[in-house]
Amino acid sequence: MAAEQPTAANLHAGTGPRDHDGAVFSCRDLRYTYLDRFPALAGVSLDVRPGERVALLGPNGCGKSTLLKLLDGLIFPDSGTFTAFGHPVTEDVLEDEQFSTAFRSRVGFVFQNSDTQVFSPTVRDEVAFGCLQLGLSEDETRTRVEDVLRMLDITDLADRAPFQLSGGQKKRVAIASVLVMNPDVLLFDEPTAALDPRTQQWLIDLIVELGAAGKTIVLATHDLDGLDTIAGRCLVFAEDHTIARSASPTDVLADRDLLLQANLIHDRSRTTR
Ligand SMILES: Nc1ncnc2c1ncn2[C@@H]1O[C@H](COP(=O)(O)OP(=O)(O)OP(=O)(O)O)[C@@H](O)[C@H]1O
Ligand SMILES: [Mg+2]
């Protein structure tokens, strides 16, 4: 009998209980300014529940990518609190190796630009990297890598150099290198940007499948097509770096003023030329 095709639902099933009944993320009054000059978050509060798929929407420069970096523990707020799985996450706390390993294994981030994410000599090494960093055995790592390569349909790229791949192929490799660690939470920064329509649809389907498998997903997007498929809830940023609305995709899509404010649609009557 043919081996069962790996899917989001059965990939590495049984790696551990999902032990967080409360919020996955709790953020209160987060403020973040780059270089003391460029405000990015000006008092942002949100909760993300287990299994939610949340879309961050809003104009360029409003703070979506900054919030994702904060949720991934890559940067830390100037003020406000960030709690993940019931534990406060701070720079000091993440210096603790045990906490850091646990946090990093539970939260995965797919960057907008895959070039900043892929750096190993081959795709297989790239996808294996995170597992080896987490201290998984070579056998376990090999099994996971082969499963995830098959799941993302990139087995034929396994021996290629990631930096020589096309943008869409690199995106699949970047996603594989995150999924291989089987995180509870996936953060995607503009996942469908710069992908051809078929690959966009493939990625939307994958995100929905991951959500159905119980993953918590937070993604930043400007893409209204498929918003109601990809997300269960939207957080709409305003230009002042605060969250203006938390609403269902249906309500957001029906609110023309909100869509205009968030630069998600464009009012041609206001264009001068
Ligand atoms: N590395 C940085 N150094 C200085 N300022 C930055 C840096 N990264 C972002 N900013 C500024 O922080 C603000 C928020 O940027 P951020 O990238 O979070 O926005 P965004 O909502 O993701 O925008 P986009 O839709 O264009 O991706 C912007 O004003 C931006 O210029
Ligand atoms: Mg961004």
Side-chain angles (χ1 to χ4, degrees):
M1 202 173 81
E4 189 185 3
Q5 185 67 21
T7 65
N10 69 13
L11 191 71
H12 323 311
T15 49
R18 301 289 180 254
D19 57 1
H20 49 89
D21 292 329
V24 171
F25 295 133
S26 245
C27 300
R28 290 290 168 271
D29 202 20
L30 295 178
R31 289 168 192 273
Y32 188 87
T33 299
Y34 289 92
L35 307 170
D36 289 332
R37 275 197 293 157
F38 306 111
L41 300 174
V44 163
S45 298
L46 62 133
D47 288 306
V48 177
R49 317 285 308 171
E52 264 200 301
R53 280 178 284 127
V54 177
L56 309 177
L57 306 174
N60 289 137
C62 67
K64 304 178 296 296
S65 298
T66 304
L67 177 59
L68 290 175
K69 285 190 247 173
L70 234 136
L71 297 178
D72 197 43
L74 297 176
I75 58 174
F76 302 93
D78 301 329
S79 64
T81 57
F82 167 40
T83 306
F85 315 108
H87 301 280
V89 180
T90 61
E91 200 162 6
D92 283 350
V93 165
L94 272 181
E95 271 170 23
D96 179 84
E97 205 176 310
Q98 215 180 342
F99 183 88
S100 168
T101 303
F103 179 79
R104 303 260 167 246
S105 68
R106 294 182 81 171
V107 183
F109 189 2
V110 180
F111 296 128
Q112 178 177 4
N113 179 358
S114 307
D115 283 325
T116 57
Q117 193 150 16
V118 293
F119 49 84
S120 299
T122 69
V123 166
R124 187 177 272 109
D125 292 341
E126 181 66 46
V127 178
F129 180 80
C131 289
L132 296 173
Q133 285 288 101
L134 288 181
L136 296 183
S137 71
E138 293 208 3
D139 275 357
E140 169 76 9
T141 300
R142 197 172 311 116
T143 307
R144 286 189 178 209
V145 169
E146 295 311 320
D147 279 357
V148 95
L149 290 176
R150 273 197 295 146
M151 181 182 157
L152 296 198
D153 199 17
I154 49 173
T155 305
D156 57 330
L157 303 180
D159 298 315
R160 299 268 309 268
F163 69 89
Q164 290 173 345
L165 301 176
S166 77
Q169 290 170 329
K170 274 186 211 159
K171 179 71 88 182
R172 283 185 193 241
V173 173
I175 294 171
S177 62
V178 168
L179 287 188
V180 77
M181 291 189 275
N182 197 22
D184 295 340
V185 184
L186 290 150
L187 310 172
F188 290 92
D189 200 352
E190 305 204 19
T192 53
L195 296 178
D196 69 40
R198 196 156 63 103
T199 310
Q200 278 187 20
Q201 190 54 52
W202 166 82
L203 187 45
I204 290 174
D205 293 345
L206 177 68
I207 290 172
V208 170
E209 198 190 336
L210 290 166
K215 305 290 182 196
T216 305
I217 293 164
V218 184
L219 57 94
T221 186
H222 296 282
D223 202 351
L224 296 184
D225 282 345
L227 184 65
D228 46 357
T229 311
I230 210 168
R233 183 160 65 98
C234 303
L235 296 174
V236 187
F237 277 78
E239 290 200 5
D240 68 358
H241 313 290
T242 62
I243 292 176
R245 274 280 287 283
S246 166
S248 71
T250 317
D251 287 351
V252 169
L253 291 169
D255 190 337
R256 191 176 157 74
D257 287 342
L258 184 67
L259 294 174
L260 278 169
Q261 267 171 36
N263 281 4
L264 288 162
I265 57 170
H266 168 65
D267 186 352
R268 288 184 192 282
S269 66
R270 289 198 214 158
T271 309
T272 48
R273 49 180 91 218

